[in-house]
Amino acid sequence: MNDHTPQGEHDSTPVPLNQGHVQGTGGIPERFENPGLPPHVHRASDTDEQAAKRAERTIAGLFGLSMLGTVLFLVAYFMVDVDEMTFVPGIGDMSLSNLLLGLGLALALLGIGLGAVQWAKTLMPDEEVVEMRHPMRSSDEAREGFVQTILDGGESSQLTRRPLIKATLGGALGLFSLPLLVQLAGSLGPLPRNDLSVTFWNGEKGEDGTWTAMQRRLHLDPEDRPIKASDVTIGSVFHVLPEGLQSELHGAEKLNEITKASVLVMRLNPDEFQDTPQGRKARDWGYQGIVAYSKVCTHVGCPVGLYEQTTHHLLCPCHQSTFDVTNDCEVIFGPAGRPLPQLKIGVDAQGYLIAEQSFQEPVGPSFWERES
Ligand code: FES
């Protein structure tokens, strides 16, 4: 359709670029004139070799910064004690190792990212290109042309003519892969062995690493005070840790034990437990409808923190595994493979809740040698 086409008639003749608009109905144009592209403005680095050299040095500097970041990461990973603390203004005490790992990774990523952006803005071709719409599958000639364009792009981005950029980009990308390999190879950590089977609920740990059984009170987290059975009303839920954990342990050991020993305490009407072997066991291991379950999800270990009072379901926010408290926290939905371990509880002479025995199975996700 063009200016000479009568209104209402359809003409499939393509309108060349930069031709006038097409009149629609009611004086409203159906299409507007293609304004075309404004004249291309050349950058300093396109016309001035000195400016191009400066851009090259800036890009190389940024890739070099990335390499420094990666080296900092590796040094922090291998040479800084994970328990060494440092004070950071505005944050407080934190692990020096974590701080340096984070800074190193941030510099490594930032250097590569900024270097690539600077390269694109100063040295890579920036001429505007118009590509008309064409059939979905390109012809063989077009495909060959595409390959040639890529090759030409490599040439025109000056990668082949700028060995400094080539070398520093190669170095930055090559070195950056090391943290990933290190993480894969070195940070999977040792197998849990006995670690998830023994928690602070087991009692007291001696100098030789053996545990002496003791009945610890249930302490509120984070208030660290004991909780009476009468405080737990029907429908309520409490986050609980073993007595002594928060006051006796420090640093990484404290964090480890908190992670393993965290427990949720809820009170149900005793009639609400299901009449199944699991439901009866859940009720018997509780106290007057108060039950305590590990907070560590049996899928991959997220904290199970959402309690639905009306259905008595516990929900893990990570992948929506749902556990039925009325049936010994059996999994009723989601990827978790096992129920949450139950802590057998009772009360002491003062009416405070105590753990009568520790978990009878390892807490948290499955692992290879779990059954042994
Ligand atoms: S960690 Fe709980 S559902 Fe995945």
Side-chain angles (χ1 to χ4, degrees):
M1 190 182 285
N2 57 38
D3 283 348
H4 306 294
T5 306
Q7 284 186 16
E9 280 189 30
H10 184 76
D11 180 358
S12 59
T13 309
V15 180
L17 294 176
N18 290 323
Q19 286 204 358
H21 72 257
V22 176
Q23 190 64 43
T25 54
I28 299 171
E30 189 178 302
R31 263 183 280 157
F32 289 93
E33 180 182 0
N34 183 342
L37 293 172
H40 179 71
V41 179
H42 289 286
R43 305 161 299 188
S45 54
D46 292 332
T47 52
D48 178 358
E49 184 53 27
Q50 287 306 314
K53 276 279 176 206
R54 277 198 302 278
E56 181 183 6
R57 284 195 293 273
T58 307
I59 297 163
L62 288 165
F63 289 152
L65 183 70
S66 167
M67 289 193 274
L68 277 180
T70 303
V71 171
L72 176 64
F73 179 95
L74 293 173
V75 169
Y77 190 89
F78 288 110
M79 302 184 67
V80 180
D81 186 350
V82 75
D83 288 331
E84 192 173 334
M85 306 297 277
T86 186
F87 179 78
V88 180
I91 298 178
D93 283 341
M94 70 178 298
S95 159
L96 180 63
S97 167
N98 283 348
L99 178 67
L100 295 180
L101 287 174
L103 280 177
L105 211 51
L107 276 182
L109 279 171
L110 201 67
I112 290 176
L114 291 180
V117 169
Q118 182 69 3
W119 185 9
K121 287 175 88 74
T122 55
L123 293 179
M124 286 189 187
D126 74 335
E127 306 249 349
E128 298 80 5
V129 176
V130 175
E131 185 180 13
M132 305 307 289
R133 188 175 294 182
H134 51 73
M136 291 298 280
R137 187 196 183 284
S138 307
S139 65
D140 290 341
E141 298 79 52
R143 291 174 162 222
E144 282 164 20
F146 172 76
V147 173
Q148 193 54 48
T149 304
I150 296 288
L151 296 177
D152 291 348
E155 183 66 30
S156 61
S157 65
Q158 306 191 21
L159 189 60
T160 48
R161 287 202 292 123
R162 309 265 175 205
L164 188 56
I165 291 183
K166 198 167 160 185
T168 50
L169 175 63
L173 291 176
L175 267 180
F176 184 66
S177 62
L178 284 181
L180 306 179
L181 294 176
V182 165
Q183 286 282 351
L184 270 180
S187 293
L188 290 178
L191 288 168
R193 303 195 187 284
N194 214 19
D195 277 359
L196 294 175
S197 311
V198 181
T199 72
F200 210 69
W201 294 108
N202 282 70
E204 205 158 23
K205 191 177 183 183
E207 295 286 311
D208 57 355
T210 56
W211 290 78
T212 310
M214 69 178 275
Q215 296 186 334
R216 291 187 181 272
R217 282 179 172 168
L218 276 61
H219 274 215
L220 286 175
D221 177 25
E223 296 90 332
D224 198 20
R225 60 178 171 78
I227 178 171
K228 284 192 166 174
S230 54
D231 296 333
V232 187
T233 52
I234 286 187
S236 58
V237 57
F238 292 91
H239 296 249
V240 159
L241 287 170
E243 169 189 9
L245 195 161
Q246 302 198 66
S247 54
E248 293 171 21
L249 301 185
H250 305 280
E253 187 185 15
K254 179 176 177 179
L255 292 177
N256 269 344
E257 290 302 329
I258 287 178
T259 308
K260 294 191 297 176
S262 290
V263 156
L264 284 172
V265 170
M266 296 135 289
R267 184 171 208 155
L268 285 66
N269 186 325
D271 297 338
E272 290 176 306
F273 289 96
Q274 293 185 32
D275 192 19
T276 59
Q278 296 96 319
R280 287 193 289 275
K281 173 252 176 185
R283 189 181 50 223
D284 295 346
W285 280 29
Y287 177 78
Q288 295 181 355
I290 303 173
V291 284
Y293 282 92
S294 167
K295 206 168 112 177
V296 191
C297 183
T298 53
H299 178 217
V300 290
C302 286
V304 177
L306 305 173
Y307 177 56
E308 169 56 51
Q309 288 180 2
T310 50
T311 58
H312 305 300
H313 291 166
L314 279 172
L315 187 79
C316 177
C318 285
H319 314 100
Q320 283 72 53
S321 284
T322 308
F323 305 88
D324 185 354
V325 183
T326 67
N327 200 29
D328 201 22
C329 278
E330 286 284 328
V331 183
I332 56 170
F333 181 79
R338 292 179 291 108
L340 297 171
Q342 186 177 11
L343 191 68
K344 189 172 185 194
I345 57 171
V347 291
D348 62 14
Q350 287 82 42
Y352 289 106
L353 289 171
I354 53 165
E356 291 191 333
Q357 64 179 32
S358 179
F359 300 115
Q360 295 301 289
E361 56 180 315
V363 297
S366 300
F367 47 96
W368 289 330
E369 81 269 57
R370 181 175 183 274
E371 302 311 327
S372 61

CSV table of all heavy atoms in Angstrom, one decimal, residues 297 299-302 316 318-321 335, ligand 1:
chain,number,residue,atom,x,y,z
A,297,CYS,N,15.2,-29.8,57.7
A,297,CYS,CA,14.4,-30.5,56.7
A,297,CYS,C,15.2,-31.7,56.3
A,297,CYS,O,16.4,-31.7,56.1
A,297,CYS,CB,14.1,-29.6,55.6
A,297,CYS,SG,13.1,-30.4,54.3
A,299,HIS,N,15.0,-33.0,53.4
A,299,HIS,CA,15.3,-32.9,52.0
A,299,HIS,C,16.8,-32.5,51.9
A,299,HIS,O,17.7,-33.3,51.8
A,299,HIS,CB,14.4,-32.0,51.3
A,299,HIS,CG,14.7,-31.8,49.8
A,299,HIS,ND1,14.6,-30.6,49.2
A,299,HIS,CD2,15.2,-32.7,48.9
A,299,HIS,CE1,15.0,-30.8,47.9
A,299,HIS,NE2,15.3,-32.1,47.7
A,300,VAL,N,17.1,-31.2,51.9
A,300,VAL,CA,18.5,-30.8,51.9
A,300,VAL,C,18.8,-29.9,53.1
A,300,VAL,O,19.8,-29.1,53.0
A,300,VAL,CB,18.9,-30.1,50.6
A,300,VAL,CG1,18.9,-31.1,49.4
A,300,VAL,CG2,17.9,-29.0,50.2
A,301,GLY,N,18.1,-29.9,54.1
A,301,GLY,CA,18.5,-29.3,55.4
A,301,GLY,C,18.1,-27.8,55.7
A,301,GLY,O,18.6,-27.2,56.6
A,302,CYS,N,17.1,-27.3,54.9
A,302,CYS,CA,16.6,-26.0,55.2
A,302,CYS,C,15.9,-26.0,56.6
A,302,CYS,O,15.4,-27.1,57.0
A,302,CYS,CB,15.7,-25.5,54.2
A,302,CYS,SG,16.5,-25.0,52.6
A,316,CYS,N,8.3,-26.7,54.8
A,316,CYS,CA,9.7,-26.2,54.5
A,316,CYS,C,9.6,-25.2,53.4
A,316,CYS,O,9.1,-25.5,52.3
A,316,CYS,CB,10.6,-27.3,54.2
A,316,CYS,SG,12.2,-26.8,53.7
A,318,CYS,N,11.8,-24.0,51.5
A,318,CYS,CA,12.8,-24.1,50.4
A,318,CYS,C,12.1,-24.8,49.2
A,318,CYS,O,12.2,-24.3,48.0
A,318,CYS,CB,14.0,-24.8,50.8
A,318,CYS,SG,15.1,-23.8,51.8
A,319,HIS,N,11.6,-26.0,49.4
A,319,HIS,CA,11.0,-26.7,48.2
A,319,HIS,C,9.6,-27.3,48.6
A,319,HIS,O,9.1,-28.3,48.0
A,319,HIS,CB,11.9,-27.8,47.8
A,319,HIS,CG,13.3,-27.4,47.6
A,319,HIS,ND1,14.3,-27.6,48.6
A,319,HIS,CD2,14.0,-26.6,46.7
A,319,HIS,CE1,15.4,-27.1,48.3
A,319,HIS,NE2,15.3,-26.5,47.1
A,320,GLN,N,9.0,-26.7,49.6
A,320,GLN,CA,7.6,-26.9,49.9
A,320,GLN,C,7.4,-28.4,50.5
A,320,GLN,O,6.2,-28.9,50.3
A,320,GLN,CB,6.6,-26.6,48.8
A,320,GLN,CG,6.4,-25.2,48.6
A,320,GLN,CD,7.5,-24.4,48.0
A,320,GLN,OE1,8.1,-24.8,47.0
A,320,GLN,NE2,7.9,-23.4,48.6
A,321,SER,N,8.3,-29.0,51.0
A,321,SER,CA,8.0,-30.3,51.7
A,321,SER,C,7.1,-30.0,52.8
A,321,SER,O,7.3,-29.1,53.6
A,321,SER,CB,9.3,-31.0,52.2
A,321,SER,OG,10.0,-31.5,51.1
A,335,PRO,N,9.6,-33.0,48.1
A,335,PRO,CA,10.7,-33.9,47.8
A,335,PRO,C,11.4,-34.5,49.0
A,335,PRO,O,12.2,-35.4,48.8
A,335,PRO,CB,11.7,-32.9,47.1
A,335,PRO,CG,11.5,-31.6,47.7
A,335,PRO,CD,10.0,-31.6,48.0
B,1,FES,S1,15.1,-28.4,52.0
B,1,FES,FE1,13.1,-28.6,52.7
B,1,FES,S2,12.0,-29.1,51.0
B,1,FES,FE2,14.0,-28.9,50.2
